[in-house]
Amino acid sequence: LALARGVAPPEHPLLPGQVMPYHWGVDALYAQLVGAGLGIDRAIDLVTIGSFALLLWTAATLGAMAAGRVGATLFPVVVPLAGSALAQPLHDDLGPFALASRYPPEWREWTRRPPPLTADFFQHPQGLAMPLVLAVLALWTVEREDASERERGLRRGAGAALLACLSLVQAVHFLVVGFGLGAAALLVFARTRDVRRLAVDLGMLLAAAALAVLFGGFFSPSAGTGSTLVWWLDFFRATSIADSLAHHLVAFGFPLLLLPLALLAGGRLRLALVCGAAAGFLLPNVVVYRHSWDIVKLYSAGGFLAAVALADTLARGFTTRGLVGRALVAVLAFATIEFPLAWLASRTVLQGHFGIPRKVDWRPRVELIALGAELRSLVPARDRVLVHEADVA
């Protein structure tokens, strides 16, 4: 709404002068629709629906490029819904899908419980980030054998431009996939000794990083985001390495456990997926945010790349392993998507049924809406005061 009123860069509505550096790319889409006359809630709905359509499309496209027709079928199912059935007992309000927990009680605390990937999509910046990540991977890592050097360069250039834009949409996905692409370039160079290709790849990644700073979002020097990090603490507060490994396995399941299998097929795509996912999984074990649990976004970004890698592994297994192999792939796919699908159903169509409580309506109270209307009558549209049907308190 700040952007819709012409306040750019957007500032905190209660702290004028404090720039808000997060996910302007998604907010700018909302602002365009608000400027066209939609309410902010409808604007968010439309962008979310469009982002999900993009996610399915880009997943099918990357799946087809990586693993043919089977990949085009499996990717749109596994990638948005990847998760761990072992995590199901950790979550509440699942009604008939609820399972008794035998895990340590502290594992059920929401601050130590990463949400399923399906939930991450609805944390609005990630909804648009996910299809952008898939588009970057498709442009950067998957090439036709008969493609000319010019075509390959144009594709990587387009991928680098999208990567730079991703920094304004969701900064953590930008970091994780950017690291994956850079690490993959170095590993390919170690095998091919192609200095020119390495120089072009690293140059484009550095250009994307420079643009991310110039765009003035999360990576702007004035954003002050570095001061919110505390190093050498871990997200799960594990008591031992074994406790940490068990907690990770329960939370992330097959996408984490089977991640190394992606390397068996080789290629830049699998290298980028494994390296980026590894960074996303490892970093929360050594750094946290000072004021928030949002370091969990690293797990989200790493888990998303691991979901892509798992979909690729399953598609290749379905194609090459015969009847028994295909049955195993079906079992693994179902075990991967069952809990996130149950979670999604419990938050949507099954609310109020089968013992699943209805979620609290967060709509602000009538008196606060009236207060907002009175304030808007006093404040010119482009002044930096913003009250629009929001609970100011």
Side-chain angles (χ1 to χ4, degrees):
L1 288 172
L3 288 169
R5 287 170 175 255
V7 181
E11 297 183 2
H12 196 295
L14 304 182
L15 300 171
Q18 179 177 319
V19 171
M20 299 177 69
Y22 300 104
H23 48 74
W24 297 2
V26 180
D27 292 336
L29 294 180
Y30 302 157
Q32 292 293 328
L33 295 175
V34 170
L38 289 180
I40 185 62
D41 52 346
R42 292 293 175 260
I44 291 174
D45 286 345
L46 283 178
V47 172
T48 301
I49 293 167
S51 296
F52 194 73
L54 279 175
L55 176 58
L56 297 179
W57 176 50
T58 51
T61 301
L62 181 61
M65 296 169 74
R69 186 179 64 176
V70 176
T73 303
L74 272 177
F75 272 56
V77 177
V78 173
V79 172
L81 291 171
S84 170
L86 295 175
Q88 196 158 333
L90 299 177
H91 291 261
D92 308 313
D93 297 341
L94 295 179
F97 306 112
L99 298 175
S101 174
R102 297 181 180 274
Y103 302 128
E106 60 270 18
W107 286 19
R108 290 177 58 87
E109 296 175 11
W110 72 269
T111 54
R112 302 191 192 185
R113 188 181 64 189
L117 196 61
T118 309
D120 289 324
F121 175 86
F122 294 99
Q123 301 239 349
H124 53 274
Q126 300 196 68
L128 184 59
M130 290 176 180
L132 281 176
V133 167
L134 298 180
V136 170
L137 290 170
L139 287 166
W140 192 280
T141 65
V142 185
E143 299 173 342
R144 297 198 326 267
E145 292 184 3
D146 61 345
S148 66
E149 194 61 34
R150 179 176 180 275
E151 180 184 342
R152 292 176 179 176
L154 288 173
R155 287 174 62 85
R156 293 202 300 280
L162 272 183
L163 181 63
C165 293
L166 179 61
S167 71
L168 282 181
V169 174
Q170 221 291 327
V172 177
H173 280 268
F174 167 84
L175 283 173
V176 169
V177 75
F179 174 83
L181 294 173
L186 292 172
L187 291 172
V188 170
F189 170 74
R191 177 173 53 84
T192 64
R193 301 297 175 182
D194 187 342
V195 176
R196 183 177 180 279
R197 176 66 186 264
L198 177 67
V200 171
D201 283 356
L202 294 184
M204 287 187 176
L205 289 174
L206 289 173
L211 284 174
V213 175
L214 292 175
F215 285 163
F218 188 86
F219 301 102
S220 169
S222 62
T225 49
S227 63
T228 65
L229 300 177
V230 179
W231 289 88
W232 313 123
L233 289 177
D234 70 283
F235 177 84
F236 286 130
R237 306 293 198 271
T239 56
S240 66
I241 294 178
D243 179 58
S244 180
L245 289 174
H247 205 160
H248 280 78
L249 181 60
V250 165
F252 304 109
F254 287 125
L256 174 60
L257 184 64
L258 302 183
L259 183 61
L261 295 182
L263 296 175
L264 296 179
R268 288 178 180 270
L269 173 62
R270 285 95 187 184
L271 287 173
L273 291 172
V274 172
C275 292
F281 284 128
L282 290 174
L283 277 173
N285 293 280
V286 295
V287 62
V288 298
Y289 284 143
R290 189 187 308 274
H291 305 300
S292 168
W293 80 307
D294 264 5
I295 203 71
V296 77
K297 295 293 192 299
L298 280 163
Y299 280 136
S300 303
F304 182 67
L305 294 184
V308 179
L310 178 64
D312 177 65
T313 298
L314 294 179
R316 289 185 290 106
F318 190 89
T319 304
T320 61
R321 299 297 178 184
L323 185 60
V324 175
R326 292 181 178 184
L328 178 60
V329 166
V331 170
L332 291 175
F334 176 78
T336 300
I337 70 173
E338 180 273 330
F339 163 57
L341 195 58
W343 182 94
L344 185 61
S346 72
R347 265 62 181 174
T348 53
V349 296
L350 294 186
Q351 281 196 49
H353 304 286
F354 305 108
I356 298 175
R358 288 193 177 277
K359 302 301 178 286
V360 176
D361 187 350
W362 284 16
R363 188 171 302 161
R365 297 193 304 274
V366 173
E367 59 268 28
L368 288 169
I369 295 176
L371 173 63
E374 292 181 13
L375 288 178
R376 283 198 302 279
S377 71
L378 301 174
V379 178
R382 293 192 175 273
D383 279 12
R384 298 188 177 199
V385 178
L386 206 169
V387 180
H388 183 78
E389 298 182 9
D391 189 334
V392 179

